[in-house]
Amino acid sequence: MSTIEATAGELLARLKSRETTSAELVRLCLSQIDAHDGEIGAFLHLDRDDALRQAEAIDAKRARGESLGVLGGLPVAVKDVVSQRGQPCTCGSRMLQRYIPPYDATIIEKLRAADAVLLGRTNMDEFAMGSSTENSAYRVTRNPWNREHSPGGSSGGSAAAVAARMVPLSIGSDTGGSIRQPASFCGVTGLKPTYGRVSRYGLVAYASSLDQLGPLAQDVSGATRLLQAIAGHDPLDSTSIARPVPDYLSRLEQPLEGVRIGVVEEYQSAAGMDPEVSASLVEALDVYRALGADVRTVSLPHAKYAVATYYIIAPCEASSNLARYDGVHFGHRTEQAGNLLDMYCKTRAEGFGPEVKRRIMIGTYALSAGYYDAYYLQALKVRRLIRQDFDRAFEQVDVIASPVSPTPAFRLGAMADDPLAMYLSDLFTLTANLAGLPGISVPAGISRTGLPIGLQLLAAPLQEEPLLRAARMFEKATEWHTKRPPLVGSSFHFP
Ligand code: GLN
């Protein structure tokens, strides 16, 4: 297998055996990016010299015989929503076009400590609001499997970069599905950890009670390795969980004997389901049955309110979080203002795109006196009921299986004028954020039109270990994760 197609684990083995070096890998990634990113649009920013310097420093450590961290010289691309000292952090917004963070997020420090090479900043929907990466102020990201289709969002750049083999691993953020849905659309593996498992210090806030950072990779083992590097308590994030991080990697290959898998009764009749997506779930359950799993039906009676609940809570939190972009504290300031109020309004009118403005308006409305009780408070109550449904379900099963998205990747522009249709397509992913659960998307099919289909598995809070093992069992029994988008291999040759 050529280096560019190798998984993170295979690349690490080659690094360890000195068959390749980290600097060589970085050069390979850069040449793949040069060959394809003009068309795909996965990256917003690359600092080639900095990446090569990091790689050479890690190669030198290895040459000196020093022990290296779990990422031992592997390149990792990071969504442009995470603060990295000295690098741009635009969040896909004009508002932060010239913002250069003066500090590293905790996840960046952890990646450095694990000996990752930070290779570039990936495209995203503005402030992570969206499901298609079309809301970026800078460029559209295209799906490597079919350039006319969306890579999903909001971490579409991170997913497309891994799918197009521009980088073996990447970091995304998931507030309502933004790691899992693009992973599913691009045929890669994406994990949203338990809320609080990975520090949010230095992650630019969208909806703070829902946001979580996590890994994207070609396979479960790559995602597990990256999780191992980034998980853990952080005193700088008061919502981070003070529990030791298990050794996820050491037991990954151990299948879960008699694993109990829940299928959600209420999802059987979900509107807008593509028959190929339903069929791939049925097939996935058969794979599990053949592996000895006990497949049962579970009920999530309040899941049908997830879209309504999320699209109140997330905009409410966003409207508050985004108040800081006022022309004074951060980012863009208009040149055109006559007085302070004018400056504030014009700055925000110029700096934010239409979807961000829509969310700020919804959030401000739902939080205003007279509406707070009817919308925000009500949504918080329903959120609690959704969590209770899961608590009950996880008394009966170890993981819950469902589609990631009701359809494979939609065409670019297909829902550009219909935000509600785009919101509705998040129905399967939002519940994990509302309930704080870990969830993973693994490749589980390819549509007749050649687009990947993902399988979502959810587990109880902090149950990443069994979740990853269950995902690995499926992966081992299937070949979906080995499929490549047409651009990889066909136009790319290695000595
Ligand atoms: N599509 C959802 C939204 O627009 C989720 C985005 C995310 O997870 N960042 O809010």
Side-chain angles (χ1 to χ4, degrees):
M1 184 183 285
S2 72
T3 307
I4 206 74
E5 295 197 31
T7 63
E10 290 159 351
L11 291 175
L12 200 64
R14 290 183 207 181
L15 284 164
K16 283 186 181 157
S17 66
R18 317 271 169 115
E19 254 173 274
T20 188
T21 64
S22 180
E24 236 173 272
L25 285 187
V26 167
R27 275 191 281 269
L28 208 57
C29 290
L30 290 172
S31 67
Q32 182 77 343
I33 292 168
D34 287 339
H36 298 293
D37 207 41
E39 219 184 331
I40 300 295
F43 284 86
L44 286 178
H45 184 75
L46 281 174
D47 186 338
R48 292 161 197 266
D49 295 341
D50 180 58
L52 278 168
R53 265 196 304 274
Q54 297 174 55
E56 281 159 9
I58 294 166
D59 288 335
K61 255 168 110 174
R62 178 169 271 126
R64 288 196 298 271
E66 288 176 34
S67 70
L68 294 183
V70 285
L71 298 175
L74 292 173
V76 179
V78 178
K79 185 174 179 178
D80 205 28
V81 70
V82 177
S83 306
Q84 182 180 336
R85 191 189 313 118
Q87 299 294 332
C89 179
T90 68
C91 298
S93 181
R94 243 187 292 282
M95 188 58 94
L96 292 177
Q97 190 158 18
R98 285 190 292 277
Y99 175 56
I100 311 266
Y103 72 105
D104 276 341
T106 297
I107 193 173
I108 296 287
E109 281 182 358
K110 283 188 169 278
L111 289 168
R112 293 192 203 276
D115 289 303
V117 174
L118 300 166
L119 183 93
R121 316 268 316 166
T122 55
N123 196 18
M124 56 184 284
D125 284 306
E126 185 174 3
F127 286 105
M129 297 176 192
S131 311
S132 69
T133 315
E134 291 166 298
N135 296 337
S136 167
Y138 299 101
R139 63 194 306 195
V140 168
T141 302
R142 294 178 178 275
N143 191 315
W145 292 79
N146 182 332
R147 291 347 113 78
E148 302 304 312
H149 288 249
S150 164
S154 63
S155 312
S158 290
V162 171
R165 306 299 187 258
M166 295 170 183
V167 72
L169 298 168
S170 66
I171 296 290
S173 69
D174 191 312
T175 302
S178 279
I179 291 175
R180 290 160 286 154
Q181 184 256 23
S184 158
F185 279 15
C186 291
V188 301
T189 297
L191 172 77
K192 174 219 166 296
T194 303
Y195 182 74
R197 183 75 288 190
V198 176
S199 168
R200 290 184 298 110
Y201 178 74
L203 163 67
V204 178
Y206 159 18
S208 313
S209 78
L210 301 158
D211 297 340
Q212 185 62 194
L213 290 159
L216 292 113
Q218 285 173 40
D219 60 2
V220 176
S221 132
T224 305
R225 184 169 289 282
L226 193 46
L227 176 68
Q228 197 76 58
I230 62 177
H233 178 240
D234 179 11
L236 297 175
D237 172 0
S238 60
T239 61
S240 105
I241 299 175
R243 291 269 196 93
V245 179
D247 184 348
Y248 300 116
L249 279 163
S250 67
R251 294 177 67 197
L252 184 62
E253 298 300 325
Q254 257 173 270
L256 293 163
E257 299 287 333
V259 59
R260 296 163 308 162
I261 302 205
V263 191
V264 183
E265 191 184 323
E266 289 79 6
Y267 288 170
Q268 316 286 337
S269 54
M273 275 285 281
D274 182 298
E276 286 187 284
V277 171
S278 312
S280 96
L281 177 64
V282 170
E283 274 171 39
L285 295 171
D286 284 342
V287 168
Y288 275 116
R289 283 192 193 92
L291 293 169
D294 171 4
V295 178
R296 310 177 180 186
T297 304
V298 292
S299 176
L300 300 176
H302 300 91
K304 59 173 179 276
Y305 303 119
V307 175
T309 307
Y310 173 91
Y311 278 99
I312 293 292
I313 292 175
C316 284
E317 295 188 20
S319 71
S320 165
N321 277 325
L322 272 60
R324 70 190 66 167
Y325 305 107
D326 57 3
V328 179
H329 292 91
F330 284 96
H332 175 72
R333 176 190 292 185
T334 185
E335 312 263 306
Q336 321 282 343
N339 57 44
L340 185 64
L341 186 61
D342 204 28
M343 187 281 286
Y344 182 71
C345 295
K346 284 204 177 113
T347 292
R348 289 168 71 83
E350 291 166 7
F352 291 136
E355 184 59 30
V356 172
K357 287 176 184 162
R358 183 178 297 121
R359 307 274 178 118
I360 292 173
M361 285 189 283
I362 295 171
T364 308
Y365 177 85
L367 287 177
S368 41
Y371 296 107
Y372 180 97
D373 291 352
Y375 294 110
Y376 183 64
L377 204 59
Q378 185 71 7
L380 291 183
K381 290 176 185 167
V382 181
R383 180 179 191 175
R384 167 58 56 182
L385 295 173
I386 290 172
R387 168 64 185 258
Q388 282 171 0
D389 287 354
F390 277 108
D391 289 346
R392 265 190 284 271
F394 286 124
E395 283 167 11
Q396 301 159 44
V397 295
D398 304 299
V399 297
I400 292 176
S402 78
V404 181
S405 173
T407 65
F410 41 81
R411 282 186 166 284
L412 286 165
M415 289 192 253
D417 301 322
D418 191 353
L420 205 57
M422 185 105 63
Y423 300 171
L424 287 168
S425 74
D426 290 340
L427 81 162
F428 299 125
T429 50
L430 301 174
T431 51
N433 304 76
L434 290 167
L437 313 175
I440 192 166
S441 168
V442 289
I446 293 188
S447 74
R448 273 190 308 275
T449 54
L451 292 162
I453 297 171
L455 166 72
Q456 174 173 257
L457 302 173
L458 303 178
L462 291 177
Q463 297 305 301
E464 276 83 358
E465 204 228 74
L467 177 68
L468 290 160
R469 283 166 66 192
R472 176 65 187 135
M473 283 168 73
F474 177 78
E475 183 185 74
K476 231 190 230 172
T478 56
E479 296 205 324
W480 300 114
H481 64 291
T482 65
K483 307 284 181 218
R484 308 271 181 265
L487 70 81
V488 181
S490 56
S491 58
F492 213 70
H493 299 286
F494 283 92

